[in-house]
Amino acid sequence: MKPVTWNWGDVCWTFMAARAIADRQAANASLHPLLLMASAEQYPLLSLPACRASVGDKISRAAWRSKPSWYLVAAKDETIPPAVERDSAAHMKGETLVLQSGHVPMLSQPEAVADFVASAAAAIDA
């Protein structure tokens, strides 16, 4: 099932089959975190609100041009092609971590993601 998007005011709602999310975005996550996200049997459709400004507003200056940046590449991502992620990371010259993960590495490899975030925070505080 392809996602369906409806716009309502400043928020767009994207409806997507929960099974598609489980299969594509969190394919290598353990069962327990997936059950916390949603059960495909109980919730056949998930609604994902997104602020229209997050995809439509123009920015005047990209923060990564002047601030330290970090980028996590999900090497098995089926939502954003890993080559695009790698290109984005290289373009911004960010500190990069590549995980053998699908689109949501915070579910499949939470310790590695937490360590990466902690190292970024420590670098800023230094």
Side-chain angles (χ1 to χ4, degrees):
M1 174 184 185
K2 291 185 178 182
V4 175
T5 301
W6 287 323
N7 295 316
W8 187 346
D10 290 334
V11 176
C12 355
W13 290 86
T14 300
F15 293 89
M16 177 176 209
R19 177 56 33 201
I21 292 173
D23 291 346
R24 301 187 106 226
Q25 296 182 349
N28 62 338
S30 66
L31 183 60
H32 179 69
L34 283 178
L35 289 175
L36 292 176
M37 275 181 56
S39 163
E41 289 73 31
Q42 291 180 356
Y43 306 102
L45 287 178
L46 291 180
S47 61
L48 309 168
C51 178
R52 185 171 294 153
S54 70
V55 294
D57 281 3
K58 302 280 186 204
I59 59 169
S60 59
R61 182 175 162 159
W64 57 263
R65 292 187 188 275
S66 60
K67 298 182 184 294
S69 302
W70 290 261
Y71 200 105
L72 195 154
V73 173
K76 295 180 181 179
D77 198 332
E78 292 186 26
T79 302
I80 302 170
V84 172
E85 295 179 29
R86 285 187 180 93
D87 183 59
S88 296
H91 186 72
M92 65 191 271
K93 298 180 176 83
E95 182 73 30
T96 304
L97 173 65
V98 179
L99 293 177
Q100 296 303 311
S101 169
H103 189 64
V104 286
M106 64 288 273
L107 291 180
S108 62
Q109 299 184 42
E111 295 85 9
V113 173
D115 289 346
F116 190 56
V117 171
S119 70
I124 290 172
D125 288 340

